[in-house]
Structures are given as C-alpha cells and as structure tokens.
Amino acid sequence: MSRGSEFVFAQVIKDVVDFLGLGDDTRPQLSPAELAERYRRVLATAVRLTRQMPDDRLENELPNRPRSWRGLMHHLFQIPNAFLDMDASGTPMRYEDLTAPPPDEIRSSADIAAFGERTRDRFHGWWNEVADEDFDREMEVYFGTTTRHEMLERTVWHSTQHVRQLASLLEQTGVEPDAPLTAEDIKGLPLTEKVWDET
C-alpha cells in the first residue's frame, strides 16, 4: 500500500491502520488462552474434514489460485508448524516456511490427516509448556515485526480460513462436511464472511 513516496507492506493490520491514521484498535480480541482453545477445535475439524476428501480430487486446482487441493490441505497444517518452528528456534519466519509444498510421501487424504494429527499434538504440547509465558514480546517474520500474541492470532485465523475452504471443497464433491466450523468458531477472529477470494 502506498501514498505518495510512503508505503507499507500490508501484511499487518496494525501497520495499515497506523499508515492510514484510522486510530482503530487492532489488538487481538481473543487472549492467547482463548486462541489456543479455539485452535484445538479448528485443528480437530481440519483433521476430520481432511479424512473425508476423496483421493481422486486431490490434484484438482483451487478457484483463482495456482494450488492443488492437496497443496491447500497440507498448507493449513504447515501454518502451525511454521509458527511452532519459529517460536522454538527464535529465527524469523520466512514466507517459504509457510508455503512449502507437501513432500512426495504425503499423497493421500489419509497421509495429510496423519500429518495434521501430528501437528495438532505438537501444538497442544507446545501450549501446555508456554501457557504462562510472555506473549507481548516481539517476533521477526517475513513481513516485518509483530508480537507473539499477534502471530498466534494470525496462525489461528489463517488455518481457520483454509478449513472453511476445505468444507466448501467437500461440498463441491458432493460430500457433506462432518461438523464443519460454525460462526461461533470464527467469532473474534479477523475474518470476513467470504470463504474464497473473488479474483
């Protein structure tokens, strides 16, 4: 986003709001504990819906995106892995960490669901260890500087949006999603009602 000779990398809502002088409160609405609990439901739903996806649809391409359904399903679990890797190592997250393609051995829906289960268990273990720690400290990521709390929120809403998309893809195949996310699961996260980008 630019204005004259000034610009901002529009990946952080706070940066955009400050740049435009809007004065809105962009801090996460949910506490770290609330985000962690919300992510439990999101990741459990992601694993359950992933198991429902017919394998013969995995190489289909997403609408308006050069990404396969298999790539999307892997990506929604890669998001928390990239966050956890960064939190454990203290090294800045790279864009490539989020967008790493699924390895060759992850071919089927069952393979992706198993990866998701390992990711879910890893997240739960991490939260049990860090629940009482500082979430206001700053972290360096590929788009700039953010707080640990903000990055946890970003991780949760990013996966949540893709789980909504996964439910939409199942519907396109004629499969009824098993207990998809509800409005209550999305409440408090900075997401719109739109499941897909229009362009």
Side-chain angles (χ1 to χ4, degrees):
M1 176 178 292
S2 64
R3 183 176 53 201
S5 62
E6 300 178 326
F7 67 92
V8 65
F9 189 27
Q11 287 281 326
V12 181
I13 295 173
K14 180 181 183 302
D15 292 348
V16 175
V17 167
D18 290 347
F19 182 75
L20 296 175
L22 299 178
D24 293 357
D25 185 356
T26 60
R27 291 174 297 183
Q29 291 185 31
L30 303 178
S31 69
E34 290 170 323
L35 287 167
E37 181 56 33
R38 183 70 57 85
Y39 215 21
R40 289 178 185 273
R41 299 200 299 273
V42 169
L43 292 176
T45 302
V47 170
R48 187 170 60 251
L49 299 187
T50 295
R51 290 196 179 283
Q52 290 188 271
M53 181 59 71
D55 286 341
D56 63 0
R57 298 300 186 99
L58 292 182
E59 298 309 320
N60 287 6
E61 193 163 284
L62 295 173
N64 304 317
R65 284 292 300 273
R67 175 185 279 169
S68 69
W69 294 16
R70 181 171 75 101
L72 174 76
M73 292 160 65
H74 174 268
H75 174 61
L76 73 87
F77 296 117
Q78 183 61 25
I79 293 164
N81 274 300
F83 170 76
L84 294 172
D85 288 346
M86 174 182 63
D87 197 71
S89 68
T91 58
M93 180 190 293
R94 304 171 305 156
Y95 180 72
E96 293 78 12
D97 298 328
L98 282 177
T99 59
D104 290 341
E105 64 269 20
I106 295 184
R107 300 301 312 173
S108 68
S109 294
D111 294 336
I112 302 170
F115 173 59
E117 288 178 331
R118 294 192 298 272
T119 300
R120 177 199 61 199
D121 293 346
R122 183 184 179 198
F123 180 83
H124 294 344
W126 170 82
W127 176 251
N128 289 337
E129 292 180 359
V130 306
D132 296 326
E133 292 183 3
D134 176 21
F135 275 78
D136 290 329
R137 66 177 173 83
E138 293 189 338
M139 309 181 88
E140 293 294 329
V141 292
Y142 64 92
F143 52 79
T145 302
T146 187
T147 68
R148 195 185 194 193
H149 188 180
E150 290 165 341
M151 199 61 204
L152 175 60
E153 179 195 53
R154 186 184 184 90
T155 299
V156 174
W157 70 247
H158 192 170
S159 289
T160 299
Q161 180 66 358
H162 289 319
V163 176
R164 296 168 73 193
Q165 293 172 343
L166 174 54
S168 173
L169 294 177
L170 284 171
E171 291 172 346
Q172 291 178 37
T173 70
V175 175
E176 182 177 353
D178 178 10
L181 297 177
T182 66
E184 194 63 26
D185 294 320
I186 297 163
K187 186 178 179 180
L189 298 175
L191 290 170
T192 68
E193 294 182 2
K194 294 180 181 178
V195 174
W196 298 104
D197 295 333
E198 294 181 349
T199 57

